[in-house]
């Protein structure tokens, strides 16, 4: 993973300014269980940057700063890396649906066939 | 309803006609055809709690039901600041898992198998599922809690949205569930093993819990070792959870057992060295650290640092 100079500096600044998002999981000398499970040791700085990234993204999506900190701390390294890499592409379950006419018609048909379940009044043929 | 034949409407019905033949879903079809031994024909967790959801808040509502069922205090409102993303009007899967851990429960993602989902329900474990109720190219992501099923009626029972007991065709459910990648999770107290648990997945779930709730993770590792006594990772995890709680003698004892059962586990030797070092047993710590360095492997750098750390202090 290539880390740009500006990201490294930004990360270091965040760390220096006391904005550490999570206690460092690996204490001196101990190999953490997440590392044993993953089989590889994640680079400490990369992991730190990912977490500060995710925290900033959560805040930009309307999460209060203190809550964002606690939320990031509860993520595993793998989850933090996944969110840092692709939060915008991941589904956010919440029943949001853009209601264009074509979509409406397709859904009506697929509901009746039992592929989807959008309209309370449809009963699938099966 | 009458359609003037617009190209869009025509397309829809051509599509409908083409697909109509195949609305049975693959997993449920094979389950019904060949009923697996030991899978109950029907089950329902009637006592599973229900929180009707506010707009877009199916994540907090579903999770609250699962947490309360596992004996924790939660409401959709109390979970909003933990699991809801206002600008996305929804909840991420990773945060559903993370929030479960913040309530000191094991967040266990299920294998993408309908049979496993049904087995967990039959064992009394409500399953939080992610569905895409609409289409892959126009998704409507929705969390619900699966709490019952009936194989003969080919139906699943959900706590979903504002409906306390929604019955849905298992075929339709499987289609909507498949579009989320068959995503499902349990929220369970650490002393309770999912009936479909595999050693690797359960211990990975405990490792994630360990950073938030080491005491519960400790309970979980002990439970895992009762089921899989030979697991080196669970033995090291048991030590790490003790270490995180600053129980150094407990940690050293667990690491020692790990090195006896798995003398080739360099991680176990390394962690044993560190715990013994902090307990003041310098000679034994040095011997253990040297074993780790001699075994080497992907983390040999860490092992050398542990050894140097011990050597630095007289």
């Amino acid at each position: 993973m290539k880390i740009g100079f500006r990201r490294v500096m930004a990360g270091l600044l965040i760390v220096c300014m006391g904005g550490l998002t999570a206690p460092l999981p690996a204490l001196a000398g101990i190999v953490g269980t997440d590392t044993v499970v993953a089989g590889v040791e994640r680079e400490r700085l990369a992991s730190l940057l990912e977490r500060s990234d995710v925290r900033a993204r959560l805040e930009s999506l309307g999460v209060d700063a203190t809550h964002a900190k606690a939320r990031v701390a509860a993520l595993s390294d793998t989850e933090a890396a996944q969110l840092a890499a692709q939060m915008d592409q991941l589904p956010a379950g919440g029943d949001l649906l853009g209601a264009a006419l074509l979509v409406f018609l397709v859904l009506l048909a697929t509901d009746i066939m039992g592929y989807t379940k959008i309209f309370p009044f449809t009963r699938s043929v099966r | 309803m009458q359609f003037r034949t617009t190209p869009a409407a025509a397309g829809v019905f051509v599509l409908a006609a083409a697909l109509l033949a195949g609305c049975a879903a693959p997993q449920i079809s094979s389950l019904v055809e060949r009923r697996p031994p030991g899978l109950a024909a029907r089950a329902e967790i009637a006592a599973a709690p229900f929180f009707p959801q506010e707009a877009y808040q199916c994540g907090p509502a579903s999770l609250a039901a699962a947490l309360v069922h596992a004996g924790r205090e939660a409401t959709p409102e109390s979970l909003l600041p933990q699991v809801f993303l206002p600008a996305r009007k929804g909840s991420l899967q990773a945060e559903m898992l993370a929030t479960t851990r913040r309530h000191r429960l094991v967040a266990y993602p299920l294998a993408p198998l309908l049979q496993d989902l049904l087995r967990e329900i039959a064992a009394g474990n409500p399953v939080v599922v992610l569905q895409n109720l609409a289409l892959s190219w126009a998704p409507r992501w929705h969390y619900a809690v699966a709490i019952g099923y009936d194989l003969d009626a080919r139906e699943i029972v959900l706590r979903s949205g504002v409906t306390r007991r929604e019955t849905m065709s298992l075929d339709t459910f499987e289609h909507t569930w498949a579009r989320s990648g068959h995503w499902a999770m349990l929220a369970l107290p650490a002393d309770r093993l999912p009936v479909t648990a595999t050693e690797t997945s359960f211990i990975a779930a405990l490792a994630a819990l360990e950073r938030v709730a080491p005491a519960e993770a400790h309970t979980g590792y002990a439970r895992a070792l009762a089921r899989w006594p030979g697991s080196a990772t669970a033995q090291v995890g048991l030590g790490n959870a003790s270490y995180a709680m600053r129980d150094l003698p407990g940690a050293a004892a667990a690491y020692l057992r790990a090195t006896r059962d798995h003398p080739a586990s360099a991680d176990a030797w390394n962690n044993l060295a560190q715990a013994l070092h902090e307990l003041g047993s310098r000679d034994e710590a040095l011997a253990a650290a040297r074993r780790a360095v001699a075994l080497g492997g992907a983390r040999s750098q860490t092992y050398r640092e542990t050894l140097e750390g011990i050597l630095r202090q007289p």
Side-chain angles (χ1 to χ4, degrees):
Chain A
M1 179 173 147
K2 186 171 168 289
I3 301 167
F5 175 74
R6 283 170 58 184
R7 282 193 65 200
V8 173
M9 286 312 291
L12 288 178
L13 266 177
I14 290 168
V15 175
C16 294
M17 290 166 77
L20 251 174
T21 53
L24 285 176
L27 295 137
I30 290 288
V31 175
T33 321
D34 44 0
T35 305
V36 181
V37 168
V40 288
E41 196 147 24
R42 296 188 49 75
E43 212 217 302
R44 208 75 62 81
L45 182 60
S47 163
L48 210 59
L49 287 179
E50 280 158 4
R51 285 178 186 274
S52 71
D53 243 25
V54 174
R55 183 178 163 190
R57 298 273 272 288
L58 290 181
E59 286 181 33
S60 77
L61 292 172
V63 177
D64 170 272
T66 45
H67 291 139
K69 187 175 172 180
R71 282 164 74 149
V72 171
L75 294 171
S76 71
D77 281 346
T78 324
E79 290 160 354
Q82 187 203 24
L83 292 193
Q86 48 177 3
M87 193 189 292
D88 297 335
Q89 287 86 56
L90 292 171
D95 293 305
L96 190 64
L97 176 68
L101 178 65
L102 174 66
V103 174
F104 172 81
L105 292 174
V106 171
L107 287 175
L108 192 60
T110 52
D111 250 30
I112 292 166
M113 289 183 292
Y115 281 102
T116 57
K117 188 66 192 140
I118 295 294
F119 306 109
F121 52 83
T122 58
R123 184 84 197 152
S124 78
V125 292
R126 186 138 197 129
Chain B
M1 197 172 0
Q2 191 184 351
F3 287 110
R4 309 295 299 174
T5 33
T6 64
V12 168
F13 286 103
V14 169
L15 181 76
L19 295 178
L20 199 52
C23 55
Q27 291 198 31
I28 182 60
S29 296
S30 78
L31 280 185
V32 168
E33 236 167 68
R34 229 188 343 264
R35 202 70 70 86
L39 179 63
R42 68 191 58 78
E44 183 162 348
I45 310 163
F50 173 59
F51 295 97
Q53 78 176 72
E54 304 283 324
Y56 309 125
Q57 294 169 8
C58 54
S62 300
L63 196 55
L67 299 183
V68 169
H69 189 80
R72 299 297 189 257
E73 272 179 36
T75 61
E77 294 72 38
S78 75
L79 296 182
L80 278 182
Q82 299 182 14
V83 77
F84 191 65
L85 278 181
R88 294 277 304 268
K89 293 189 168 61
S91 302
L92 299 168
Q93 291 145 284
E95 291 213 285
M96 296 287 279
L97 299 166
T99 301
T100 303
R101 297 192 289 261
R102 287 177 72 181
H103 289 259
R104 308 185 322 283
L105 296 168
V106 178
Y108 185 77
L110 291 188
L113 300 171
L114 186 62
Q115 185 183 157
D116 282 17
L117 189 158
L118 301 183
R119 281 188 192 280
E120 292 296 348
I121 293 173
N125 301 326
V127 184
V128 178
V129 292
L130 179 64
Q131 298 168 276
N132 174 359
L133 295 173
L135 305 158
S136 56
W137 50 272
R140 179 171 174 177
W141 301 108
H142 176 69
Y143 289 106
V145 189
I147 56 126
Y149 68 90
D150 184 335
L151 284 179
D152 298 322
R154 222 164 156 138
E155 276 182 343
I156 192 163
V157 185
L158 304 160
R159 302 267 188 264
S160 179
V162 292
T163 313
R164 181 183 174 85
R165 189 178 185 282
E166 175 171 330
T167 57
M168 186 184 280
S169 137
L170 262 164
D171 295 275
T172 300
F173 172 77
E174 187 179 332
H175 286 303
T176 62
W177 187 47
R179 282 194 290 270
S180 78
H182 301 97
W183 189 86
M185 61 161 278
L186 302 177
L188 285 184
D191 58 357
R192 194 156 166 190
L193 204 62
V195 286
T196 64
T198 64
E199 180 181 339
T200 317
S201 310
F202 189 66
I203 290 168
L206 293 176
L209 178 66
E210 191 187 308
R211 44 183 306 137
V212 191
E216 281 72 17
H218 189 274
T219 307
Y221 289 125
R223 182 71 189 80
L225 283 169
R227 174 78 173 72
W228 302 285
S231 168
T233 314
Q235 287 180 337
V236 172
L238 191 71
N240 285 355
S242 298
Y243 185 92
M245 293 186 289
R246 305 308 300 159
D247 170 17
L248 287 173
Y255 297 141
L256 190 63
R257 256 196 313 279
T259 59
R260 283 194 184 136
D261 292 359
H262 308 275
S265 166
D267 292 332
W269 285 108
N270 173 81
N271 290 7
L272 175 63
Q274 182 64 31
L276 289 173
H277 172 50
E278 289 178 48
L279 282 167
S281 313
R282 190 168 190 271
D283 292 346
E284 284 120 312
L286 273 178
R290 291 202 169 106
R291 281 291 287 271
V293 171
L295 285 163
R299 289 177 281 285
S300 48
Q301 178 65 32
T302 307
Y303 310 150
R304 276 196 296 275
E305 284 169 17
T306 306
L307 178 59
E308 282 158 23
I310 300 168
L311 287 171
R312 232 177 290 130
Q313 282 178 23

